[in-house]
Amino acid sequence: MTAATPIVVLASGRGSNFDAIVAAIRADKLNAEICAVISDKADAAVLAKAKAVGIPAIALPVSEKQKSLGLADRRKSYDETLIKAIKVFSPRFLVMAGYMRVASSVLIESFRSVRGYTRIINIHPSLLPSFPGTNSYAQAYAHGAKITGVTVHLVEVDVDSGPICAQEAFSIADCKSAAEVEMRGLEVEHRLYPATLSWLLAERFELETRVQDKIRRLSVRPR
Ligand code: GRF
């Protein structure tokens, strides 16, 4: 058995995806070690969950000084502090699980591999590039979409635009509320995220560059 891949989880909220990752590791379905959970929200439920299973849990809220900065400087300054906190644990990958901050290029470049991809992974609750940003399940419901889905992707500077690694679609044609869409989506997330992490963290994938309208994009698929 190869050594477990060390990861740091970044999360801002309740941490149901964190739970799913922990469960997959315990069930030997995911060869990873969560070295720490870091949250920008001091009261995030995910921190208590991490502590309860003996994983270092770090609250790292935006400081008053950072709040006084303009948006770009604030993101950069926060990420510089975050990088210092992360590096203590020497993770190979950062795994975002309901992390509500936009990553700046400082953070992204500090996890760039020599092959060009970033070792930062995110799960997004829609079939990207549809419904980027926040409240994607609610957006899909409000638009009357008949299907939506979940995307696991690598993180790049443009929000929700990095290389797509895995997607799963599901029907919402019969959903009566955004909450119902979310419930269905979370079930998919909790299965798809650990399954995708199992080959992503082992770096068992092929990369291909695709160009359209002069925009170059990396595409990732399992080997
Ligand atoms: C999930 O829907 C995830 O896709 C999105 O934020 C939500 C986080 O849920 N990015 P949780 O904190 O993992 O329960």
Side-chain angles (χ1 to χ4, degrees):
M1 179 106 166
T2 50
T5 307
I7 64 173
V8 162
V9 172
L10 300 181
S12 304
R14 89 198 131 189
S16 68
N17 279 288
F18 166 77
D19 288 336
I21 294 168
V22 169
I25 293 172
R26 287 193 169 164
D28 280 335
K29 289 183 178 159
L30 180 59
N31 191 17
E33 182 202 347
I34 305 176
C35 307
V37 174
I38 303 179
S39 180
D40 56 316
K41 300 277 179 252
D43 57 355
V46 70
L47 291 174
K49 288 181 171 180
K51 272 187 209 145
V53 292
I55 294 171
I58 298 166
L60 197 66
V62 179
S63 70
E64 289 309 314
K65 192 167 164 221
Q66 284 160 348
K67 280 183 195 160
S68 70
L69 301 170
L71 186 62
D73 287 340
R74 188 191 321 152
R75 281 186 184 152
K76 183 167 175 275
S77 166
Y78 180 84
D79 282 351
E80 283 165 353
T81 317
L82 178 61
I83 290 167
K84 280 190 200 136
I86 291 168
K87 293 279 156 148
V88 172
F89 299 98
S90 309
R92 185 155 179 88
F93 276 86
L94 281 187
V95 173
M96 295 179 172
Y99 181 62
M100 299 310 287
R101 294 189 62 80
V102 173
S104 70
S105 57
V106 217
L107 179 62
I108 289 169
E109 294 318 316
S110 70
F111 278 86
R112 174 99 46 208
S113 76
V114 286
R115 287 170 72 203
Y117 56 88
T118 63
R119 290 197 180 94
I120 307 179
I121 307 167
N122 185 39
I123 185 156
H124 183 81
S126 76
L127 292 175
L128 289 172
S130 286
F131 307 129
T134 55
N135 299 321
S136 304
Y137 289 134
Q139 287 189 56
Y141 179 72
H143 276 78
K146 304 301 173 236
I147 55 165
T148 189
V150 172
T151 302
V152 178
H153 66 96
L154 303 183
V155 176
E156 283 295 345
V157 172
D158 291 332
V159 179
D160 301 330
S161 75
I164 291 172
C165 306
Q167 289 186 307
E168 189 172 319
F170 55 94
S171 170
I172 57 168
D174 61 337
C175 283
K176 301 279 185 293
S177 66
E180 212 181 311
V181 175
E182 182 176 7
M183 235 164 62
R184 217 168 269 190
L186 283 168
E187 260 182 55
V188 175
E189 291 188 35
H190 300 158
R191 189 164 26 76
L192 185 68
Y193 209 8
T196 308
L197 288 172
S198 72
W199 55 265
L200 274 179
L201 298 182
E203 287 170 85
R204 223 171 37 233
F205 53 80
E206 273 160 16
L207 291 168
E208 194 192 313
T209 305
R210 297 186 184 172
V211 184
Q212 193 204 17
D213 300 334
K214 297 193 179 143
I215 298 175
R216 298 168 73 83
R217 289 195 172 83
L218 273 184
S219 158
V220 175
R221 62 166 161 247
R223 213 178 16 227

